[in-house]
Amino acid sequence: MIDPLIWLILLPLAWATLAFLLGPGRGARTAIAGLSLQLWLAFDLAMKIGAGGPALHAVGGWGAPLGIDLAADGLSAVMLLLAQSVALPLALYARAYFAPDKTETRYFWPLIGFLLAGLNALFLSADLFNLYVTLELVGLAAVGLVAAGGGAAQVAAALRYLFAALLGSSMYLLGVALIYGAYGTVSLVTLEPLLTADAPRIVWMAGGLMLAGLLLKTALFPFHYWLPPAHASAPAPVSALLSALVVKASFYLILRLWLGPFAPLVGALAWLPMLLGAGAIFWGSWQAIRTPHLKMLVAWSTVAQLGYLFLIFPLLATTGALQAGVMQAVAHGLAKAAMFMAAGVLIKATGQDMVAGLAGVAQRLPLTLFSFGLAGVTLMGLPPSAGFLAKWLLIEAALAQGYWFIALVALAGGLLAAGYVFRVLRQAFLLAPVAYAIAAVPRTLEWTAFALATASVLLGLRGVELMALLAAGSAP
Amino acid sequence: MSSGLIFAITGVVLFAMGSAGMLLVAHLLRRILAFNLMGSGAFLILVGLAQRGGTPDPVPQAMVLTGIVVAVAATALALALLRKLHTLNGRTELPRVEDD
């Protein structure tokens, strides 16, 4: 009997260790085989949860108070599916992207395995302390991936990222310590009935600390300072992984705490994340429109798109808002991975990373540019993309509760996204003479980016299934 | 005042000192030390608050042990990166972000 809950964590740990021992060539093959199995396991788990409700696994046969419980509901299943389905095409892409003899390749495969093990464990954790450990695992692996390039800029970006991550998780840990001091438990399920609106002041402090730490890790404006340098200076496959999945991990955690144990406390606080989210949309888009570098543009767009995730918090009384947030997380995950992958191809082919240097690539790399455009369609929220569905749900929830200005922010954000996406496309279609030779790029790079971009658009048509899965776990 | 509470209050002071160091100090080695101070503060709070009725609670002790392992790993990574930065450009501070 294979329990997907435990194998989703063990499998990446196993192939990460193997990849370290085998070296980059055979390590890559091991990783891709492992990731394919994981994708199948995630589907299997999603089917089980869709049919039979939340799943639970006591690690090693030891139950919750003494041992560690793993739990999965609809939300976890959606995030697990997203993580595996972004990681597999990304691994195929990375295998073609990296030269096999570089140092960055040697560390890439083990680190990506540890990162995925951490992410999967985070989505499956059922207590506050386990969540802290997995959050740190994800953070350390991600910092390693940023630094793997080995240049001074990358190491500096990695250190900046590491300090932001450590500050965030230390604040979270202090929150956990205070909660344990007040209630003597860290289990999410046990805490839920204990926390009420008249909880002692120490619990409010703990909640505030945890929320602030996680916002720092999610890079919500104005805590975003570490994200653009870290995401832009890493190699393209790493940037794609960081933007698509790693920032979503702490968002998932905020959502989990907000909807779970902290639900009675946060009523009045809900406007704070929403206002910061609106700030993120405007500031991130504005910087994306201004920056001269292609990867910086995509990284700033991540800052902006993360803002949408936080617009939902005042609206969470209706189920549509949660659906909008999760849909946006999935849509942005797929689209941003595709966009960074396409940007990586453009940079590899033209040998430079200025937006202004892209003139004329439309004739030479039509497929890659098409992928970039498709990912852009999702970010702008045009039908039938998943991004459109997310914005539609968000605007519907906002108007139903009379908060028209949230709808307005979402619409304005779509227009701003069009601003920076078309900036790239316009430049690419110029018929300027190309000042440099466009290098040939492996076909795999172009097709994997295209596959993810297409998925982000077509998911809009299968949104109902995803929403059904999300609802499957939340029913008691 | 019980001994547990004294531990917890010391932890709060350490945590505050550490977080001030993380935010205000530019030298990276000092920031790494500040992070360790922050971690130790959180661990003291965790162990101190959980002592009720004089009997120590084993669960937070296990948590602190796990936390120490995580903190050691993070410190090792930070130190390795700092050494790498130092050999690459001879600096022990992060460069300023230009567009922020």
Side-chain angles (χ1 to χ4, degrees):
Chain A
M1 176 65 206
I2 294 173
D3 193 337
L5 254 56
I6 194 77
W7 282 102
L8 274 169
I9 301 169
L10 278 185
L11 207 58
L13 279 180
W15 63 253
T17 317
L18 263 179
F20 184 70
L21 296 173
L22 294 175
R26 278 182 295 171
R29 280 197 288 278
T30 320
I32 288 164
L35 281 168
S36 317
L37 271 175
Q38 274 166 244
L39 185 59
W40 175 73
L41 283 173
F43 264 112
D44 186 46
L45 181 66
M47 293 294 213
K48 270 186 193 153
I49 289 176
L56 195 78
H57 180 98
V59 178
W62 292 88
L66 216 56
I68 294 169
D69 268 351
L70 297 177
D73 58 4
L75 180 58
S76 328
V78 171
M79 296 307 285
L80 284 168
L81 262 181
L82 170 69
Q84 321 308 317
S85 43
V86 170
L88 182 60
L90 207 69
L92 294 170
Y93 176 91
R95 190 167 169 232
Y97 184 89
F98 286 123
D101 48 344
K102 285 268 204 60
T103 42
E104 55 185 20
T105 324
R106 193 145 48 93
Y107 298 120
F108 178 78
W109 296 105
L111 282 173
I112 197 178
F114 291 129
L115 181 71
L116 272 169
L119 276 174
N120 288 352
L122 186 126
F123 296 141
L124 291 169
S125 290
D127 68 77
L128 292 176
F129 190 76
N130 220 25
L131 284 167
Y132 162 74
V133 175
T134 51
L135 200 62
E136 285 284 42
L137 262 181
V138 170
L140 294 183
V143 169
L145 281 169
V146 173
Q154 280 126 338
V155 173
L159 268 169
R160 193 184 301 280
Y161 181 18
L162 178 62
F163 280 116
L166 288 180
L167 189 64
S169 47
S170 296
M171 285 163 81
Y172 177 84
L173 178 65
L174 181 60
V176 175
L178 294 177
I179 294 270
Y180 191 89
Y183 295 111
T185 178
V186 285
S187 154
L188 289 177
V189 182
T190 321
L191 277 173
E192 206 162 328
L194 288 175
L195 266 98
T196 47
D198 52 349
R201 210 165 283 151
I202 194 166
V203 177
W204 287 81
M205 241 173 78
L209 276 165
M210 289 163 89
L211 187 65
L214 291 171
L215 288 182
L216 177 63
K217 290 198 81 143
T218 320
L220 179 62
F221 175 85
F223 301 125
H224 65 280
Y225 65 94
W226 56 267
L227 187 141
H231 286 201
S233 69
V238 175
S239 316
L241 200 65
L242 294 181
S243 264
L245 298 180
V246 174
V247 280
K248 303 289 166 16
S250 37
F251 168 71
Y252 162 84
L253 197 43
I254 296 176
L255 204 57
R256 181 60 84 201
L257 295 178
W258 196 283
L259 293 171
F262 287 120
L265 306 185
V266 290
L269 269 176
W271 290 100
L272 184 70
M274 183 264 148
L275 287 175
L276 296 181
I281 292 174
F282 290 120
W283 181 247
S285 303
W286 172 241
Q287 291 289 338
I289 289 172
R290 268 177 19 134
T291 179
H293 299 278
L294 179 59
K295 278 184 80 181
M296 221 43 172
L297 182 152
V298 187
W300 275 112
S301 142
T302 297
V303 173
Q305 294 286 322
L306 287 173
Y308 286 106
L309 297 175
F310 291 92
L311 292 185
I312 64 164
F313 283 94
L315 309 171
L316 277 173
T318 53
T319 47
L322 175 64
Q323 293 179 341
V326 175
M327 201 65 197
Q328 167 68 15
V330 174
H332 175 253
L334 294 170
K336 191 47 64 73
M339 201 173 234
F340 260 122
M341 284 153 83
V345 176
L346 293 176
I347 289 169
K348 221 179 172 64
T350 60
Q352 51 85 48
D353 80 328
M354 307 300 277
V355 176
L358 291 177
V361 298
Q363 294 103 324
R364 305 291 297 276
L365 295 163
L367 184 62
T368 296
L369 203 68
F370 187 50
S371 314
F372 195 95
L374 276 181
V377 163
T378 304
L379 295 188
M380 288 182 253
L382 300 182
S385 71
F388 168 73
L389 201 60
K391 290 210 177 76
W392 176 269
L393 288 164
L394 176 68
I395 291 172
E396 199 179 48
L399 291 182
Q401 297 185 38
Y403 298 131
W404 51 269
F405 48 89
I406 296 183
L408 219 59
V409 170
L411 288 174
L415 280 180
L416 286 167
Y420 57 76
V421 171
F422 279 115
R423 213 185 122 210
V424 175
L425 295 184
R426 181 180 148 268
Q427 197 65 31
F429 278 108
L430 283 183
L431 287 173
V434 183
Y436 38 79
I438 289 189
V441 284
R443 278 294 173 79
T444 325
L445 295 184
E446 295 205 80
W447 281 103
T448 43
F450 178 70
L452 273 177
T454 319
S456 78
V457 172
L458 292 184
L459 184 69
L461 303 173
R462 313 296 294 176
V464 181
E465 277 90 339
L466 202 68
M467 294 303 112
L469 176 59
L470 183 65
S474 50
Chain B
M1 193 187 275
S2 72
S3 63
L5 202 58
I6 297 175
F7 279 127
I9 289 170
T10 318
V12 171
V13 174
L14 283 180
F15 190 90
M17 281 164 65
S19 44
M22 284 278 273
L23 294 171
L24 301 177
V25 179
H27 195 290
L28 288 169
L29 190 58
R30 290 180 180 217
R31 277 173 84 174
I32 296 172
L33 289 174
F35 158 68
N36 276 280
L37 213 55
M38 246 177 127
S40 306
F43 298 149
L44 272 179
I45 296 169
L46 191 52
V47 175
L49 280 186
Q51 281 187 347
R52 290 172 192 193
T55 48
D57 182 350
V59 176
Q61 314 228 353
M63 286 187 202
V64 167
L65 220 52
T66 317
I68 289 173
V69 174
V70 172
V72 167
T75 309
L77 179 63
L79 286 173
L81 287 176
L82 171 58
R83 278 196 56 181
K84 181 86 184 173
L85 188 73
H86 187 68
T87 44
L88 282 172
N89 61 9
R91 297 179 59 165
T92 52
E93 287 170 18
L94 286 176
R96 290 193 169 278
V97 190
E98 66 272 22
D99 53 2
D100 194 55

